[in-house]
Amino acid sequence: MTEAPMLDPGFIAQLLPFDPFDPAFLADPYPVYAAIREKGPVTRTPLGLWAVTGHEVSSAVLRDPRFGWGDGATVADHFRSTADGSVVRPFIFADPPEHTRIRALVGKAFAARQVDRMRATAERIVRELIEAARAEAGDGPIDLMAAVAHPLPGRMQNALLGVPEEYAARFDELSADIARGLDPSFLLTPEEVARRDQARAELYGYIGELAEQRRTEPGTDLISELVSVEEGGEQLTPDELEVTCTLLLSAGYATTVNLIGNGMLALLRAPEQRDWLRAHPDQVSVAVEEMLRFDPPVQMISRVALAETEIAGQLVQPGDQVMLLIGAASHDVEVYRDPERLQLDREGTRNLGFGLGPHFCVGAPLARLTAQAAVSALSALDLELVTESPTRVPNIIMRGLAELPVRVVD
Ligand code: HEM
């Protein structure tokens, strides 16, 4: 299991309305969120952080231009200082007009790439991964995280970006190191911070090389699109391109890994739901949306208030930090009936697992088709959990499993 950093529990209690490293919270945070929500949809911690648990208030904040990143002080660790002394922000941490400009270019490149055509690739990779894992395991257990949940998104992203085979394994390792480092630095060990920073520097280098090559020999991959994409006379600078591709890799890897892992654990714990899915294989897309709601990989989205404003009757000052607890909003009893139950054919309000508003996940179509391919293939097998409570990774923003051992019982 990944080590949790040694932090003063007193500090954590002042900063957050829960202890993210408490084993009971890691195993099941939803009763803790429910207890916080009982005090109202918005609460303030002693260190002044606003914690939002309600779906309606979270949605309103995500759509409200009075919340953003401002000077970016809380996320400056993720910025890149360039040779000419300027700073490039990953667009996930930028406000308009910078965010609007880069997002438009990336959106256009994604549209040109026609991600939906990658469905057949996802299905083929899942089949290969399952066959290889079964051949290797024989009658023994298979760890679904190592066998499918990790390699599949890695291979999909490498296909999307056109990463050559010889770099592929290294790209996956680097994406994972960066993804771990998405938690605030004070919650990470010094080794994790160093690994994240080294990984980012190495990826910038690789992507720079690939971009150079695609400039002269364009392909049909996303890097080639990003090199040439133009919108309103604007293009990405080489530094912006490296930072943007690194963001795509880090934002898309662990999230998809954990949607597959969390979703499969939930499914295997609810055999009647697995039976329903087997009887309705064409409903895998709604099933994956419910998995995203039930145990979202991204548990928290942050914002900074850019102006004096009110949320749920509370006065928020410019510079105040707001933490939207997506896991809590996804289990909000005001919005979801019986939220603690996985109900694959659930209808009604969209969950916030991919965010909302101007920063809505740009990779959602890819994430959805990747997870759907994995869930379709895995739910068709007779799998049995080896343990009811597999080990969790002690991250705060990203919720996921360290392993998911199963047995094939046919
Ligand atoms: C199950 C998988 C995924 C989940 C749960 C997820 C979740 C999210 C969430 C919650 C946000 C909003 C962040 C905010 O408002 O601050 C977001 C944004 C983003 N996601 Fe995803 N994501 C997933 C997969 C992907 C993939 C596969 C990619 C890339 C290929 C990707 C790239 C991004 C980017 C670039 C943003 C920033 C968009 C912006 O700021 O305009 N994500 N994602």
Side-chain angles (χ1 to χ4, degrees):
M1 178 170 155
T2 315
E3 287 280 303
M6 295 301 290
L7 277 169
D8 175 6
F11 171 70
I12 294 273
Q14 297 280 306
L15 181 72
L16 299 172
F18 52 84
D19 176 358
F21 303 116
D22 174 359
F25 177 84
L26 268 180
D28 185 6
Y30 302 104
V32 179
Y33 293 147
I36 303 168
R37 198 185 313 106
E38 270 170 24
K39 297 182 204 143
V42 178
T43 46
R44 196 161 199 207
T45 69
L47 281 178
L49 207 74
W50 296 100
V52 180
T53 49
H55 189 288
E56 195 185 330
V57 182
S58 296
S59 306
V61 170
L62 287 171
R63 288 198 175 105
D64 190 337
R66 289 169 301 180
F67 293 93
W69 291 102
D71 65 7
T74 54
V75 284
D77 278 1
H78 302 287
F79 298 175
R80 180 181 192 190
S81 303
T82 62
D84 66 5
S86 60
V87 169
V88 178
R89 291 183 181 206
F91 70 97
I92 196 169
F93 298 129
D95 294 333
E98 189 186 351
H99 172 263
T100 324
R101 180 178 69 85
I102 300 186
R103 167 97 194 198
L105 290 164
V106 173
K108 203 168 170 186
F110 256 94
R113 188 64 196 83
Q114 294 182 335
V115 167
D116 201 50
R117 290 211 190 138
M118 294 180 74
R119 194 174 294 274
T121 309
E123 288 167 356
R124 175 181 52 78
I125 297 173
V126 175
R127 263 197 316 274
E128 286 170 10
L129 291 171
I130 293 176
E131 268 169 34
R134 291 189 73 173
E136 194 183 317
D139 292 336
I142 296 175
D143 174 8
L144 284 190
M145 297 309 287
V148 178
H150 277 282
L152 173 64
R155 285 175 63 179
M156 289 300 286
Q157 286 202 318
N158 290 340
L160 178 78
L161 292 179
V163 174
E165 199 55 42
E166 65 269 24
Y167 285 172
R170 188 68 190 135
F171 261 63
D172 292 353
E173 283 168 12
L174 296 173
S175 303
D177 283 348
I178 298 175
R180 169 66 193 111
L182 291 178
D183 270 0
S185 291
F186 63 85
L187 290 175
L188 302 173
T189 62
E191 294 75 37
E192 284 168 331
V193 172
R195 261 210 312 276
R196 174 196 69 195
D197 293 348
Q198 278 161 16
R200 236 174 358 215
E202 200 175 324
L203 262 185
Y204 292 150
Y206 280 135
I207 291 165
E209 275 175 38
L210 292 179
E212 251 336 287
Q213 182 214 342
R214 307 286 150 84
R215 255 181 253 283
T216 45
E217 293 164 54
T220 55
D221 54 273
L222 191 68
I223 295 185
S224 298
E225 296 293 347
L226 287 168
V227 164
S228 61
V229 74
E230 217 183 290
E231 175 74 33
E234 296 276 356
Q235 277 203 304
L236 292 175
T237 66
D239 285 318
E240 283 173 347
L241 190 138
E242 288 169 26
V243 169
T244 298
C245 288
T246 303
L247 167 66
L248 293 175
L249 287 166
S250 54
Y253 178 71
T255 45
T256 313
V257 169
N258 292 325
L259 177 56
I260 297 170
N262 294 354
M264 283 310 298
L265 175 62
L267 193 67
L268 294 175
R269 281 174 168 170
E272 82 294 348
Q273 293 297 307
R274 209 237 336 233
D275 293 347
W276 179 86
L277 185 55
R278 281 184 167 187
H280 303 87
D282 58 328
Q283 295 296 305
V284 69
S285 61
V286 294
V288 166
E289 294 311 294
E290 168 67 352
M291 289 172 171
L292 183 67
R293 179 203 70 80
F294 184 76
D295 201 9
V298 176
Q299 290 277 308
M300 183 192 297
I301 297 179
S302 296
R303 290 290 185 268
V304 175
L306 305 177
E308 186 180 288
T309 175
E310 257 190 30
I311 38 176
Q314 310 261 19
L315 191 64
V316 175
Q317 298 293 339
D320 280 2
Q321 285 187 54
V322 182
M323 185 170 70
L324 308 171
L325 296 171
I326 299 305
S330 303
H331 287 240
D332 186 344
V333 279
E334 301 281 325
V335 176
Y336 301 107
R337 211 168 132 203
D338 206 0
E340 306 313 322
R341 196 170 100 77
L342 180 78
Q343 188 193 325
L344 296 182
D345 63 349
R346 190 182 285 275
E347 288 177 346
T349 310
R350 233 187 193 200
N351 71 72
L352 301 177
F354 286 123
L356 190 74
H359 288 278
F360 180 81
C361 180
V362 81
L366 177 66
R368 284 184 167 129
L369 73 82
T370 305
Q372 288 164 14
V375 168
S376 277
L378 291 170
S379 62
L381 298 174
D382 277 318
L383 299 178
E384 194 176 81
L385 288 171
V386 170
T387 159
E388 273 298 314
S389 302
T391 313
R392 291 267 169 192
V393 181
N395 285 8
I396 161 166
I397 293 180
M398 206 73 78
R399 175 167 167 75
L401 294 164
E403 52 170 24
L404 180 53
V406 298
R407 242 175 242 289
V408 186
V409 284
D410 55 6

